[in-house]
Amino acid sequence: MKKKMLLLNTTVLLGLGGILSTPAYASTIQDMESQKSQIQNQRQDVQSNIKAASDELTRLQAEQDQMKAQLERLTIAEEENNKKAQKTEADIKETSKQVEQLEKEIKLLQEKLEKRNDILKDRARSLQESGGNVEYLQVLLGSSSFGDFVDRALAVSTIVDADRGILKETKNMQDELKTKQADVKSKLASLEDMKAELDEMTVQLAAQKKQKDALAKELKDKEVKNEELKASLQSKDSSLANEQSTLEQNIKDQKATEEAARKAAEQAAKEAAKKAAEQAQKAAAAPAEQADSSSAKAETPKASSNDVAPTSAPAPKASNVVTVGNRWVGNSAYVFGGGRSQSDISHGLFDCSSFVHWAYSQVGVNLGPLGSVSTETLKHAGTQVSSSQMQPGDLVFFDTYKKDGHVGIYVGGGKFIGAQSSTGVAIANMSSGYWKQKFNGRVVRI
């Protein structure tokens, strides 16, 4: 009877062992773990690509913002320079009218002088014919009678007074003519300077317009690439989300399957053990056999866990004037007459002299009133030195549309920093090319 019970219990245990360690079930677990590892690796690769793409997107957006800001500056500069050009045109027309009026006045003065000259010539000729070269006393003493004496005295007095008045008026007219001629020359010189400035501004506007158009095209290209990158990132993110969702669902399903199998195995073991116990009780009621049945029931194997425990994670000086302007390189625009208000400075809108004034103000050096700063005031702001002794921080001057029409700050190595018409604030080479040709040798040390 004991042998029969032992055989029965062994059979039950073998049956339970087969249920709890089915090869197909183990294979499913192994496949799931392998799939999980593969998807995790794939997810890491995709996330790495997404991070790289996100970083690139951030960089492009920052560049786009910077380009938009520069485009806005150029637009403001273009508007301001257009206003300056229109005002200069108006000044030229007004000055031209003044010149025309002065020319008319000069012509009238010249006509009057010619008449005065004719009168003087006639007077001189009359005196010559009547003995004008004789001394006045001889003229008076040569009278034939007292009446003749009085007439001659009156005539001589009248002639002297009239000549003196004509000569004085003539001299005054000549002086006035010289003054008006000098005024005309000054007006014409000013007009020529304004015309040169206008021509220069026209060139500057064309250069800035070209730069603006180029930036606009570049901005558009960047926007297109940005959108393409954004769409690509969204596609990758969607694909990753789908894979992650699929993985999570597979894991969830597999865990549910595993849990169901575990519970089924436990239930089957319980039922088998119960059935074996009942059969054993029916076969023999001996206490020993009941103990064996209880022992067989107690030895029912438990499902093992495959969880892996997570591992712990490891724990201003004056010398700076040559560099203070670097912050505006690529972030500024040239405006003729700009840089003389806080609004202009905040937007990076300078002309050459206002930039130099700003740069020195940043290192505690005042170069005079900001509102009236110009190349003319700056060339008298310090001590002029030889170009052979040029040092970083010195002011360098160039003959552009006029003498000393442009100024910058020497930075060393044959280069200077300044607000240029086509680039805004930039570092330019004065040892070759355009700026070498325009450098006039004037160097001022502040």
Side-chain angles (χ1 to χ4, degrees):
M1 181 62 68
K2 289 183 179 180
K3 290 182 178 180
K4 289 182 179 181
M5 290 299 300
L6 180 60
L7 179 61
L8 180 60
N9 288 335
T10 301
T11 302
V12 171
L13 291 174
L14 289 175
L16 291 175
I19 293 174
L20 294 176
S21 59
T22 304
Y25 180 73
S27 177
T28 301
I29 292 292
Q30 184 176 2
D31 290 344
M32 184 187 71
E33 292 294 342
S34 176
Q35 182 183 7
K36 178 180 178 181
S37 177
Q38 290 176 2
I39 294 179
Q40 284 177 335
N41 292 336
Q42 184 180 3
R43 184 180 180 185
Q44 289 177 355
D45 292 340
V46 173
Q47 288 178 340
S48 177
N49 291 335
I50 286 179
K51 185 180 183 304
S54 297
D55 292 343
E56 178 66 9
L57 179 60
T58 301
R59 187 189 69 79
L60 286 175
Q61 288 175 340
E63 184 178 351
Q64 186 182 43
D65 292 341
Q66 184 177 1
M67 289 177 64
K68 284 182 178 178
Q70 181 66 2
L71 191 59
E72 290 175 358
R73 277 189 288 269
L74 287 176
T75 300
I76 294 173
E78 186 177 28
E79 292 174 352
E80 290 299 320
N81 285 336
N82 278 330
K83 292 178 183 178
K84 299 290 183 182
Q86 292 172 2
K87 185 178 185 303
T88 303
E89 285 282 9
D91 291 342
I92 288 175
K93 290 180 180 179
E94 181 61 28
T95 306
S96 298
K97 291 179 180 179
Q98 295 176 7
V99 169
E100 290 177 2
Q101 182 62 32
L102 284 173
E103 289 175 346
K104 290 179 181 179
E105 293 178 6
I106 290 172
K107 186 177 180 180
L108 290 174
L109 284 174
Q110 288 174 336
E111 292 175 354
K112 288 182 179 181
L113 283 174
E114 289 175 0
K115 291 179 180 180
R116 290 289 187 273
N117 288 334
D118 291 341
I119 293 173
L120 288 174
K121 289 178 182 178
D122 291 341
R123 303 282 290 181
R125 189 179 299 109
S126 176
L127 286 172
Q128 178 69 28
E129 292 174 353
S130 61
N133 290 331
V134 182
E135 294 293 333
Y136 290 143
L137 182 60
Q138 292 177 333
V139 172
L140 294 175
L141 292 176
S143 58
S144 58
S145 64
F146 181 75
D148 186 25
F149 172 78
V150 173
D151 291 339
R152 285 188 176 227
L154 290 173
V156 170
S157 176
T158 302
I159 291 172
V160 171
D161 290 340
D163 289 348
R164 185 183 296 113
I166 291 174
L167 289 172
K168 185 176 181 180
E169 184 179 357
T170 301
K171 186 178 185 305
N172 290 338
M173 293 174 67
Q174 288 176 334
D175 291 342
E176 184 181 359
L177 178 59
K178 289 180 181 179
T179 300
K180 288 184 179 293
Q181 286 177 330
D183 194 12
V184 168
K185 289 181 180 180
S186 177
K187 290 284 187 181
L188 287 175
S190 177
L191 182 62
E192 290 172 356
D193 285 345
M194 284 193 292
K195 183 65 169 63
E197 290 180 16
L198 178 61
D199 292 340
E200 182 70 13
M201 280 193 291
T202 301
V203 174
Q204 294 166 5
L205 288 173
Q208 291 189 43
K209 183 64 167 60
K210 184 178 180 181
Q211 183 184 10
K212 177 182 173 182
D213 291 342
L215 282 175
K217 184 179 183 304
E218 185 178 355
L219 179 61
K220 185 64 177 178
D221 293 342
K222 292 290 185 180
E223 288 177 349
V224 171
K225 291 181 180 179
N226 192 25
E227 290 299 328
E228 291 176 351
L229 179 60
K230 184 178 179 180
S232 176
L233 282 173
Q234 289 175 338
S235 177
K236 287 183 179 180
D237 185 62
S238 178
S239 176
L240 177 61
N242 290 336
E243 291 183 19
Q244 183 175 355
S245 178
T246 301
L247 173 61
E248 290 174 350
Q249 187 62 43
N250 288 342
I251 292 174
K252 182 178 179 181
D253 293 344
Q254 191 61 41
K255 285 183 177 180
T257 301
E258 179 183 353
E259 182 65 17
R262 186 186 65 79
K263 290 182 178 181
E266 288 181 352
Q267 184 64 30
K270 289 180 180 180
E271 292 178 354
K274 181 179 179 180
K275 185 177 181 180
E278 291 175 350
Q279 290 177 351
Q281 288 176 352
K282 291 180 180 180
E289 291 175 347
Q290 291 178 356
D292 290 341
S293 176
S294 298
S295 175
K297 182 177 180 180
E299 291 176 359
T300 301
K302 296 182 179 179
S304 62
S305 173
N306 292 324
D307 293 340
V308 178
T311 57
S312 60
K317 298 178 181 179
S319 59
N320 292 337
V321 72
V322 300
T323 57
V324 293
N326 290 344
R327 58 172 291 196
W328 295 116
V329 175
N331 296 306
S332 60
Y334 182 93
V335 173
F336 194 89
R340 287 163 178 78
S341 68
Q342 189 55 50
S343 176
D344 281 358
I345 294 173
S346 299
H347 288 87
L349 305 177
F350 297 97
D351 65 8
C352 61
S353 54
S354 66
F355 170 74
V356 169
H357 187 284
W358 173 86
Y360 268 93
S361 71
Q362 300 305 296
V363 296
V365 179
N366 186 357
L367 296 182
L370 176 61
S372 59
V373 66
S374 66
T375 54
E376 289 298 315
T377 63
L378 290 177
K379 73 181 184 182
H380 300 298
T383 303
Q384 188 164 338
V385 299
S386 171
S387 59
S388 62
Q389 299 176 337
M390 192 160 46
Q391 297 177 1
D394 290 344
L395 304 187
V396 287
F397 291 79
F398 306 84
D399 293 342
T400 51
Y401 68 92
K402 67 174 184 177
K403 181 72 174 176
D404 299 317
H406 188 70
V407 62
I409 302 172
Y410 187 65
V411 299
K415 297 180 179 180
F416 75 98
I417 186 170
Q420 275 69 263
S421 61
S422 60
T423 60
V425 177
I427 296 176
N429 189 353
M430 58 182 290
S431 60
S432 64
Y434 175 82
W435 292 112
K436 181 180 180 180
Q437 297 173 2
K438 297 298 182 180
F439 178 53
N440 60 18
R442 186 188 298 278
V443 180
V444 174
R445 184 161 298 160
I446 303 300

